[in-house]
Amino acid sequence: MVEPHLTFWDFIDYVQRNYDLLLGYLYRHILMVLTGVGFAFLVGVPLGAICTRNRALARIILAIMNILQVVPSLAMLVLLLLIMGLGSTTVTVGLFLYSLNPIVRNTYIGLQQIDPSYVEAGRGVGMSTMQILFRVRFPLALTYIMTGLRISAVIAIGVATIAPLVGGSGLGREIYAGINNGNSLRIFSGAIPAALLAIAADIVLGFLQRRLRVDNRRSKNVLPPTPKTHG
């Protein structure tokens, strides 16, 4: 329970006095999230593309993604702890596994939603399968892929706050220190930056998503121009 005598200015004063410590926690929190989500993006997008090529393999991959998603984050970290031991590496791997499902599923859905006429147009001008994938299919599915990335980033920022339970660092250290010591200022100084970080990540990625929309930009890399007919 929050102490009745605490004010907003007490919180500001605490943050100013412990600025370096909190900045270090924030840096390590961001680093864990960027590493986990970054690797999830590098692995998840190809997995989503593979799902569109083989239905049997898609069922297996998506089933695994569902299992990873329904496992509670704390339970997953504890299981990883038994294998990898204490430390931020365990947390990063957990964030990687927890971030895969939104990226894989949204990539798969985005690639499936593409109008076949665009693919046929690419084939008609002599594009190879890989050229169609990178110059036609991925650009047209980019909105869905970015949605998966946004969801993964916000989830990962939240999950990373329980990192101290398995020996990790980040803003969660301040939150749990405040809970253990009954210090509301420490709880707020960890929870508020984590919440603001999640909001900022969603806003920034949402902005990038809108800028990368195919229908909002003129790109010669999406499809070759259609020749004009005369007559």
Side-chain angles (χ1 to χ4, degrees):
M1 182 177 294
V2 179
E3 293 86 345
H5 64 278
L6 293 180
T7 67
F8 173 75
W9 299 112
D10 293 322
F11 170 72
I12 295 299
D13 179 65
Y14 177 83
V15 171
Q16 289 177 339
R17 286 186 288 107
N18 297 275
Y19 176 78
D20 291 339
L21 177 66
L22 296 175
L23 194 62
Y25 286 154
L26 178 63
Y27 169 76
R28 287 188 285 273
H29 198 101
I30 294 174
L31 185 62
M32 287 190 300
V33 171
L34 286 178
T35 305
V37 175
F39 277 112
F41 184 79
L42 293 176
V43 174
V45 172
L47 285 178
I50 290 172
C51 289
T52 64
R53 307 293 297 178
N54 189 310
R55 289 191 176 184
L57 199 56
R59 285 194 292 269
I60 296 173
I61 292 174
L62 294 177
I64 294 173
M65 294 302 105
N66 287 335
I67 293 172
L68 291 176
Q69 194 67 27
V70 300
V71 175
S73 55
L74 181 57
M76 181 179 291
L77 291 178
V78 170
L79 291 174
L80 292 172
L81 171 65
L82 297 176
I83 300 172
M84 305 180 63
L86 293 170
S88 294
T89 302
T90 299
V91 181
T92 302
V93 173
L95 295 179
F96 162 75
L97 294 175
Y98 225 67
S99 301
L100 271 177
N101 182 58
I103 295 174
V104 172
R105 192 168 295 278
N106 278 273
T107 300
Y108 172 65
I109 294 173
L111 293 174
Q112 289 286 87
Q113 294 293 324
I114 294 173
D115 191 331
S117 63
Y118 289 107
V119 178
E120 292 302 321
R123 289 177 182 153
V125 296
M127 285 186 177
S128 66
T129 301
M130 294 303 293
Q131 285 176 321
I132 291 174
L133 179 64
F134 285 101
R135 297 184 63 184
V136 179
R137 294 171 67 86
F138 275 149
L140 292 174
L142 201 52
T143 298
Y144 288 89
I145 296 173
M146 289 299 297
T147 298
L149 183 60
R150 286 175 67 183
I151 295 172
S152 295
V154 173
I155 290 175
I157 291 170
V159 172
T161 57
I162 64 175
L165 297 179
V166 291
S169 187
L171 294 169
R173 277 191 175 272
E174 192 72 0
I175 295 173
Y176 283 100
I179 293 174
N180 293 332
N181 298 329
N183 188 330
S184 299
L185 291 176
R186 300 196 71 175
I187 297 174
F188 290 145
S189 65
I192 292 176
L196 294 177
L197 183 61
I199 294 171
D202 186 65
I203 292 173
V204 171
L205 291 174
F207 173 77
L208 291 177
Q209 180 180 3
R210 290 189 295 272
R211 292 296 299 270
L212 292 174
R213 282 177 63 96
V214 173
D215 53 1
N216 287 344
R217 60 191 173 92
R218 295 180 179 179
S219 175
K220 297 180 180 180
N221 294 325
V222 176
L223 279 179
T226 303
K228 297 180 180 180
T229 58
H230 300 279

